Amino acid sequence: MASDRMETERLGVHETERAAEILRAGGLVAFPTETVYGLGANAWDAAAIQKIFIAKDRPADNPLIVHLADCDQLETVGRAIPSIAYDLFERWAPGPLTLVIPKHVKLPSIVSAGLDSVAVRIPQHPVAHELLRRCGLPIAAPSANRSGRPSATNWQAVWDDLAGRIDAVLCGDATLHGLESTVVDLTGQTPVLLRAGAVTVEQLRESLPDLQLLHSETDPAKSPGMRHRHYQPTAMVRLCRSPDEIDLSLSPRRGDERIAYIGLMPWENSPKGAVCLQCRDLDEYGARLFDFFRTMDRQGITAIWCQEVAEEGIGRAIMDRLRRAAAPKGK
Ligand code: TXA
Ligand code: MG
């Protein structure tokens, strides 16, 4: 791999014209959104999209989200768009909601990993919006992390994972939500939640009373991305209902201060040297979770305990990420 390394440009947030130029020329640019950083390429350029899969080591069966500047671009990448898609975007776009709709035949099939559908999102972040507006292209962008790793919520995380593998990073602030967008599939008889996110199930049900929750165990084909290993730091992730349950004997290196905790409750009586991040609410928990994982890895922590939360509101998305992060490694 070393001989294939490229020079990665570090761009300021005002350099969106340079970023657009790279995208138009078939290159890869990471950029901030309100959820996590994305790794973008021109959605019309199959060769550029192929580079995304290589840079991320992403499995070829995991489709990408196409980012648009506004609803006017919907018909260029989708077809037979249900009116509910426009209603939902009317309420939630720009914002952290992704809709899966029938794919336009002209959109390269590599974007959606051969599926007949395409996922679309209109991001709210001003830098993402400016980039989309300037290049005038739909931009296919997965989260800007190496596959399987926690998503990148700041440009430094993008740099750690992808420097030398992509053309440029637009270096903005840390992202607002810190968790990826809510994904809803509108291609079937009833709408299905494929991934929980910042737009909550309770909010969606105001417009979609029949929204179904996906059972990935019984229907893995619906959401290809859910089959793969996700969000995992090098440290072991363990879940607890409260910090009282933290069992130090489960630590891979018993007693040598290699333990961390993140949650809403304080960890009373934590052992000396343990790292503890108490979040004030669910929004802060979601926003800081992935960066906490990465920071703990850099500090050589070997076990990260995470407090479980109620599966309501944004808590549903947090629990989804925690369960996947805590799943056995390797799959
Ligand atoms: O917040 C986000 O959504 C971020 C930012 C950059 O926009 N992007 C992101 O992309 O999280 P990625 O690739 O990490 O996750 C995309 C998810 C995957 O679970 C994928 O399987 C699903 O969306 N997806 C994409 N296209 C799909 C399709 N046609 N049908 C079903 N699921 C699809
Ligand atoms: Mg991802």
Side-chain angles (χ1 to χ4, degrees):
M1 187 66 213
S3 59
D4 295 339
R5 278 183 77 83
M6 56 170 87
E7 196 71 42
T8 300
E9 288 179 45
R10 199 184 290 184
L11 303 176
V13 287
H14 300 295
E15 294 180 89
T16 46
E17 185 47 47
R18 171 69 190 133
E21 180 181 278
I22 295 170
L23 290 171
R24 283 191 292 258
L28 304 186
V29 179
F31 59 96
T33 84
E34 69 277 20
T35 57
V36 298
Y37 273 70
L39 176 59
N42 174 2
W44 295 118
D45 184 340
I49 302 298
Q50 176 71 34
K51 290 192 218 163
I52 290 183
F53 284 90
I54 294 169
K56 283 194 51 138
D57 296 323
R58 184 175 176 100
D61 65 354
N62 195 0
L64 308 179
I65 296 174
V66 174
H67 295 67
L68 307 173
D70 52 47
C71 266
D72 294 345
Q73 285 180 306
L74 265 181
E75 292 194 2
T76 63
V77 296
R79 75 183 148 80
I81 300 165
S83 61
I84 188 68
Y86 288 99
D87 297 344
L88 289 168
F89 276 150
E90 172 93 31
R91 169 135 191 229
W92 296 110
L97 178 66
T98 295
L99 299 177
V100 176
I101 57 175
K103 185 180 92 65
H104 198 292
V105 283
K106 289 203 174 135
L107 191 72
S109 63
I110 185 172
V111 172
S112 52
L115 297 174
D116 198 26
S117 58
V118 61
V120 288
R121 169 160 118 78
I122 300 170
Q124 185 167 40
H125 194 289
V127 176
H129 182 76
E130 180 62 13
L131 179 62
L132 285 157
R133 200 191 57 76
R134 270 186 194 274
C135 66
L137 297 164
I139 299 180
S143 51
N145 50 280
R146 292 284 276 275
S147 205
R149 303 252 303 135
S151 297
T153 56
N154 49 51
W155 70 261
Q156 293 88 344
V158 179
W159 197 263
D160 286 347
D161 272 19
L162 297 172
R165 294 175 157 246
I166 64 176
D167 296 280
V169 183
L170 267 169
C171 299
D173 291 337
T175 62
L176 175 67
H177 298 296
L179 301 173
E180 308 80 354
S181 61
T182 305
V183 182
V184 177
D185 184 0
L186 297 177
T187 62
Q189 289 287 340
T190 44
V192 181
L193 180 83
L194 298 185
R195 184 174 69 187
V199 177
T200 66
V201 167
E202 295 82 351
Q203 290 169 325
L204 283 170
R205 285 210 164 123
E206 290 168 20
S207 316
L208 295 174
D210 55 344
L211 179 71
Q212 305 285 306
L213 305 185
L214 178 71
H215 297 288
S216 47
E217 302 78 29
T218 50
D219 199 1
K222 276 259 177 198
S223 183
M226 297 309 187
R227 284 198 292 264
H228 301 288
R229 194 168 71 82
H230 261 61
Y231 316 122
Q232 297 192 334
T234 306
M236 195 87 81
V237 173
R238 296 189 184 282
L239 309 188
C240 57
R241 274 168 300 180
S242 94
D244 300 341
E245 289 180 2
I246 295 177
D247 183 349
L248 298 175
S249 68
L250 287 177
S251 171
R253 290 189 226 159
R254 197 174 300 192
D256 72 349
E257 307 178 341
R258 306 282 78 194
I259 301 203
Y261 160 79
I262 181 171
L264 298 176
M265 292 165 76
W267 185 12
E268 316 278 4
N269 312 318
S270 56
K272 191 166 158 285
V275 182
C276 179
L277 175 57
Q278 184 189 358
C279 303
R280 55 176 186 273
D281 55 24
L282 289 175
D283 288 338
E284 186 183 7
Y285 197 168
R288 298 186 66 178
L289 180 66
F290 289 145
D291 183 58
F292 188 71
F293 283 174
R294 286 173 175 269
T295 306
M296 294 306 97
D297 274 351
R298 279 198 301 279
Q299 293 183 13
I301 295 289
T302 48
I304 304 172
W305 286 83
C306 305
Q307 191 200 342
E308 295 176 342
V309 295
E311 299 211 39
E312 294 157 11
I314 187 83
R316 184 182 294 275
I318 293 173
M319 282 308 297
D320 168 69
R321 306 314 188 265
L322 290 182
R323 285 202 193 94
R324 290 174 200 285
K329 298 212 184 249
K331 185 70 195 164

